[in-house]
Amino acid sequence: MSPEPAALSLPAPALIADAVTVAYGGRKALDDCSFAVPAGSVTALVGRNGAGKTTLLRAAAGLLRPDRGTVTVLSGPPGDGVLARIGFLAQNSPLYSQLTVAQTLHLGARLNPGWDGPYARDLAEAATLPLAARVGTLAPGVRARLALIMALGKRPDLLLLDEPLAALDPVARAESVTALMGAAAGGATVVLSTHAVADLAGVCDHVVVLDRGRVRAAVEVDAALAGHRLVNGAAADLAALDGADVIELRRAGDGFTALVRVRESVPAGTLAWHTPNLEDLVLGYLRGRDTSA
Ligand code: ATP
């Protein structure tokens, strides 16, 4: 008799938002948000200013409690029970200005039981951080790199990073993205908010698009790219899009460009259909009209 096949079990998502609503003084910053972040993924949280990205990350880090709905991180409620397994980087790199870089790294070792000193030192060396300099004297980009290293050095299972790339020059961005990929390769789940979508092409495998507090799209990147097309044509050909699932339509002069969701095959006709890149996809969802509301 052949043995029973082993049951395939997928790991639980690292983060689940279920109908999460957060309001500040009656104004909703998050409105009925639901999505799941697969364990081991690099997930980008994108949206215009004020879309609710920081609010969502703070809820996941246990720093605020939703008015409605639930957030689950690493299979439990956010808060004390999972804090040691989460690396949270708040916006604007909060660090102690009076400490030197070396003292800051030392503090990381003192405060975090899972601190990986050699790894943090390697990252600091690769970033050429001036160990003897006081944090308060560092340029914003250097400070941002130190803050990211403080989150990575914990060797957390889940990294929640609020705009970790914002203050960085292109080289520092590329190096930090490499460090994030290294963390993901080591098994961590990375969730980062960013406006630098182009920098994440080939890095993030999932994207959550937030629009005025609502989840506009929560997708696996490769499937979403394969499932959408950018269409260019002359305004006279617009009728060819009748019945298509148009996410965004832009007219320029006598022509138009549209982001269209395709289900099975690209419709026949004279229009030029191109596979979008990640930035096309995200911009299309950010600029397109939300017809789901
Ligand atoms: P950005 O890209 O500019 O950082 P964001 O997507 O992170 O924006 P949030 O900071 O989460 O957005 O803000 C969402 C909404 O909630 C905005 O309208 C913001 O003004 C509001 N908001 C955020 N924090 C507070 C607060 N402490 N009190 C009142 N309103 C707030």
Side-chain angles (χ1 to χ4, degrees):
M1 225 173 84
S2 58
E4 288 287 314
L8 280 178
S9 62
L10 291 171
L15 191 164
I16 303 169
D18 183 13
V20 172
T21 296
V22 175
Y24 297 109
R27 191 154 171 265
K28 285 180 185 169
L30 294 176
D31 186 3
D32 200 23
C33 288
S34 295
F35 65 90
V37 171
S41 70
V42 178
T43 296
L45 200 52
V46 299
R48 295 177 179 215
N49 292 126
K53 303 179 296 294
T54 295
T55 303
L56 193 48
L57 288 169
R58 286 175 56 80
L63 296 172
L64 65 83
R65 189 190 292 265
D67 296 292
R68 280 206 304 278
T70 54
V71 181
T72 304
V73 285
L74 303 172
S75 302
D80 292 350
V82 287
L83 272 188
R85 297 172 61 204
I86 291 179
F88 175 65
L89 172 57
Q91 220 167 356
N92 302 326
S93 324
L95 293 168
Y96 294 105
S97 298
Q98 294 307 315
L99 298 186
T100 65
V101 172
Q103 287 167 336
T104 303
L105 293 171
H106 187 64
L107 188 67
R110 291 281 300 275
L111 295 180
N112 298 293
W115 185 256
D116 187 338
Y119 172 56
R121 266 198 310 279
D122 283 353
L123 290 171
E125 204 174 295
T128 59
L129 295 188
L131 291 176
R134 286 197 194 283
V135 168
T137 67
L138 299 177
V142 180
R143 191 181 165 116
R145 292 197 79 174
L146 176 59
L148 181 58
I149 290 169
M150 297 303 288
L152 288 165
K154 275 179 84 169
R155 287 280 192 198
D157 293 325
L158 174 61
L159 280 153
L160 300 170
L161 309 172
D162 199 355
E163 298 200 30
L165 309 175
L168 304 183
D169 66 49
V171 174
R173 256 181 207 203
E175 289 173 359
S176 296
V177 163
T178 303
L180 292 179
M181 287 173 77
T189 305
V190 181
V191 182
L192 75 160
S193 73
T194 185
H195 294 288
V197 179
D199 290 337
L200 295 179
V203 177
C204 67
D205 42 45
H206 288 72
V207 173
V208 177
V209 181
L210 278 180
D211 180 25
R212 287 161 290 174
R214 304 198 69 153
V215 176
R216 181 86 168 88
V219 293
E220 198 267 314
V221 170
D222 286 345
L225 295 180
H228 291 75
R229 292 291 183 280
L230 270 186
V231 192
N232 301 108
D237 295 330
L238 255 177
L241 290 183
D242 282 353
D245 189 356
V246 177
I247 304 300
E248 188 214 9
L249 175 67
R250 271 179 305 139
R251 297 164 199 259
D254 290 337
F256 73 88
T257 302
L259 180 70
V260 176
R261 185 161 38 203
V262 290
R263 294 223 168 74
E264 275 148 26
S265 61
V266 167
T270 55
L271 298 176
W273 300 77
H274 312 282
T275 303
N277 62 30
L278 182 60
E279 199 170 16
D280 297 327
L281 187 80
V282 167
L283 282 175
Y285 273 91
L286 286 177
R287 290 188 299 224
R289 195 164 56 92
D290 186 355
T291 51
S292 65

